[in-house]
Amino acid sequence: MTEANENYVDGEWVPSETGETAAVYDPANPSEVVGEYQQSSAADAADAVAAAAAAKDEWADTPGPERGAILREAGKILDDRKEELTDLLVAEEGKARPEAAGEVQRAIDIFYYFATKASDLGGTVKASSGRNTNLYTREKPVGVAALITPWNYPIAIPAWKLAPALAAGNAVVIKPASIAPGVVVEIAKALGEAGLPDGVFNVVTGPGSEVGSEFIESDGTDAVSFTGSSHVGEMVYDQATDAGKRVQTEMGGKNPTLIAASADPAEAAEIVATGGFGTTGQSCTACSRALVHEDVYDAFVDALVAEAESIDVGPGDDHEMGPQVSADELESTLEYIDIAQSEGATLAAGGGTPDGDAVADGHFVEPTVFTDVDHDMRIAQEEVFGPVVAVVKVSDFEEGLELANDVDYGLSASIVTDDHTEANRFVDEVESGVVKVNEKTTGLELHVPFGGVKRSSSETWREQGDEGLEFYTIEQTVYDNY
């Protein structure tokens, strides 16, 4: 019997008042239990908020360099445990090992980055229009930040929310995704060992309807940051704003790559395959639409099919592409594959579950390519969240740009072209928070802002970089007449 992981509240590991736990299973081998976690209630969440509220003032008064030193030490502890964190991430979420190791390293880098930024927080000095007056600003923490994080990047996304919140002097409560909460529990252990005061960081696992709702609606929280699906995120936004909270949501995408007539088809296919099939397509920035100029369409399709068919699918420990995270996610992807075929798209590669003993029991799906896709088909309009790429033929750059924008989402977009004018026009006119030229849609630098437009984001505050700190601070202006 696996020993149940407990909640982390006020510096203590405590069970839920419900007395209930839930198992997390290995998506590559769903009969294997990876861990047991608390099925917490609203009362458990309220206890965590109370602990954070009690701790926030002392943490806010802690000098920035001292806060940074604790973040830096936590990053070092995570770095020392990188291998075991990678093992846990592969087991709980199913990522291929190189992808899991890269994500763990990303979280470590984020802690180091914001450890340094904690020393930069201060404000600005301005010239006063009056005599004998000092005029300046101060950056003050918001108070208690509530974080609700997804399963697809279960350590990187919590890190890029948590580290700036702590660096800015906020106390934090977090509800990690129930499918893969283990790495957030490990972050809590690292921060505790690094010397973070009790109550400043609190972890409560369990259903969003209980834990998440309490975090959002509680009088004790001041800001809510959410990453997840657009459907849930829009409900979170409404709930948080109705409760008078500062709110930040980053949500889904239907990300295009426009393949221009000047593109090398093989190079473009590699870019699309990496962006569309990496992380099993379970990324909000994954490429799910290839908008391909008719002059290179056939050669591109041949190259993309070859890329898809070359991918080694199996358990993440020793294969190139791992499973989908759950039976529900696999079922959803297979349903979209059926819908695409029923609407008239041509299945050019994949489309089913792979054969073999290694993949017999897990939530595996083949990298899938559809051609002859009309842009009004559901496969070209709705987020699939699996390794499925819809290829749409376009007659020219203008049509490709128009279709790139003809969706409800606007998270990431890319263009593959040798024409600098086309590249610049795409950057200027595409409706997307992240734009890339001759690169895959996935992959983000940690020191620049990240966020989307339209249904991909609340379009309030961006995450990461300097902008990532802005959400967690309030500017105070001081007039000091001496």
Side-chain angles (χ1 to χ4, degrees):
M1 183 70 178
T2 304
E3 183 177 348
N5 292 275
E6 296 180 321
N7 293 329
Y8 188 64
V9 177
D10 202 17
E12 300 287 340
W13 295 99
V14 295
S16 167
E17 58 92 26
T18 67
E20 298 176 2
T21 62
V24 170
Y25 298 91
D26 182 347
N29 182 13
S31 63
E32 182 175 331
V33 175
V34 179
E36 292 273 349
Y37 297 89
Q38 303 300 308
Q39 278 286 85
S40 304
S41 66
D44 296 311
D47 289 343
V49 171
K56 67 179 182 179
D57 289 343
E58 180 181 350
W59 183 242
D61 289 340
T62 302
E66 188 175 331
R67 296 197 297 262
I70 292 174
L71 291 178
R72 187 175 301 106
E73 180 62 20
K76 182 180 182 301
I77 293 169
L78 295 175
D79 200 2
D80 291 342
R81 298 174 184 169
K82 182 177 178 180
E83 283 300 317
E84 60 190 86
L85 291 170
T86 299
D87 291 342
L88 180 57
L89 189 48
V90 171
E92 282 198 346
E93 202 272 347
K95 273 189 171 70
R97 178 163 292 277
E99 294 172 341
E103 184 183 342
V104 172
Q105 186 60 56
R106 177 58 173 267
I108 293 164
D109 293 344
I110 287 168
F111 270 89
Y112 286 148
Y113 175 79
F114 283 106
T116 300
K117 300 301 289 185
S119 297
D120 292 339
L121 289 167
T124 58
V125 177
K126 300 291 186 180
S128 172
S129 58
R131 298 179 185 275
N132 302 325
T133 299
N134 293 322
L135 182 62
Y136 60 96
T137 66
R138 300 173 64 222
E139 293 171 333
K140 303 185 69 174
V142 172
V144 175
L147 313 181
I148 302 172
T149 58
W151 53 261
N152 60 325
Y153 286 93
I155 190 168
I157 291 177
W160 82 45
K161 294 177 186 292
L162 170 63
L166 294 177
N170 298 276
V172 175
V173 294
I174 187 171
K175 192 205 91 64
S178 297
I179 295 176
V183 281
V184 170
V185 169
E186 296 305 315
I187 287 176
K189 292 177 183 177
L191 283 166
E193 291 175 33
L196 189 72
D198 295 347
V200 175
F201 181 49
N202 305 273
V203 180
V204 182
T205 59
S209 58
E210 291 282 331
V211 178
S213 292
E214 177 64 26
F215 282 173
I216 293 166
E217 296 180 349
S218 170
D219 290 340
T221 58
D222 303 287
V224 176
S225 181
F226 167 89
T227 298
S229 71
S230 296
H231 173 69
V232 175
E234 286 159 0
M235 292 192 295
V236 168
Y237 182 84
D238 290 342
Q239 192 178 3
T241 52
D242 286 348
K245 305 296 170 66
R246 175 179 290 210
V247 62
Q248 168 192 73
T249 61
E250 293 300 338
M251 301 175 284
K254 192 64 183 172
N255 310 296
T257 297
L258 175 56
I259 314 301
S262 62
D264 176 83
E267 178 186 1
E270 183 180 2
I271 288 171
V272 169
T274 305
F277 304 138
T279 64
T280 320
Q282 298 177 136
S283 172
C284 54
T285 56
C287 175
S288 60
R289 297 182 293 148
L291 311 173
V292 187
H293 193 283
E294 59 189 8
D295 290 354
V296 295
Y297 181 86
D298 290 339
F300 171 83
V301 168
D302 289 345
L304 183 61
V305 167
E307 291 278 353
E309 292 178 344
S310 72
I311 294 173
D312 180 30
V313 179
D317 267 328
D318 49 10
H319 292 79
E320 189 178 358
M321 191 179 94
Q324 297 220 248
V325 74
S326 68
D328 287 345
E329 289 297 327
L330 175 61
E331 182 181 355
S332 175
T333 297
L334 294 174
E335 182 179 355
Y336 269 109
I337 290 170
D338 288 343
I339 290 168
Q341 292 176 286
S342 70
E343 290 185 338
T346 299
L347 181 63
T353 55
D355 296 324
D357 292 342
V359 294
D361 299 322
H363 308 311
F364 296 99
V365 64
E366 296 170 324
T368 299
V369 178
F370 279 103
T371 59
D372 303 315
V373 176
D374 292 330
H375 207 255
D376 58 355
M377 292 179 178
R378 289 179 63 186
I379 199 72
Q381 291 291 322
E382 299 176 12
E383 186 175 38
V384 177
F385 227 64
V388 179
V389 175
V391 185
V392 181
K393 184 186 292 186
V394 299
S395 59
D396 55 24
F397 172 81
E398 300 293 340
E399 183 184 9
L401 179 61
E402 180 183 353
L403 295 184
N405 291 333
D406 187 27
V407 290
D408 291 336
Y409 302 94
L411 187 56
S412 183
S414 71
I415 182 171
V416 184
T417 182
D418 286 340
D419 186 322
H420 199 57
T421 299
E422 284 183 345
N424 283 333
R425 278 201 58 198
F426 189 79
V427 169
D428 286 344
E429 298 178 36
V430 74
E431 296 167 356
S432 183
V434 175
V435 190
K436 298 189 173 187
V437 177
N438 296 326
E439 282 195 41
K440 64 185 185 296
T441 55
T442 52
L444 303 168
E445 297 274 3
L446 62 84
H447 59 290
V448 291
F450 168 67
V453 297
K454 299 194 281 192
R455 288 194 71 198
S456 293
S457 173
S458 57
E459 300 182 18
T460 46
W461 283 268
R462 292 310 199 208
E463 296 191 288
Q464 304 198 114
D466 289 335
E467 288 79 1
L469 286 163
E470 291 178 1
F471 176 68
Y472 298 104
T473 58
I474 295 175
E475 202 84 358
Q476 181 185 60
T477 303
V478 178
Y479 296 78
D480 175 18
N481 187 330
Y482 57 86

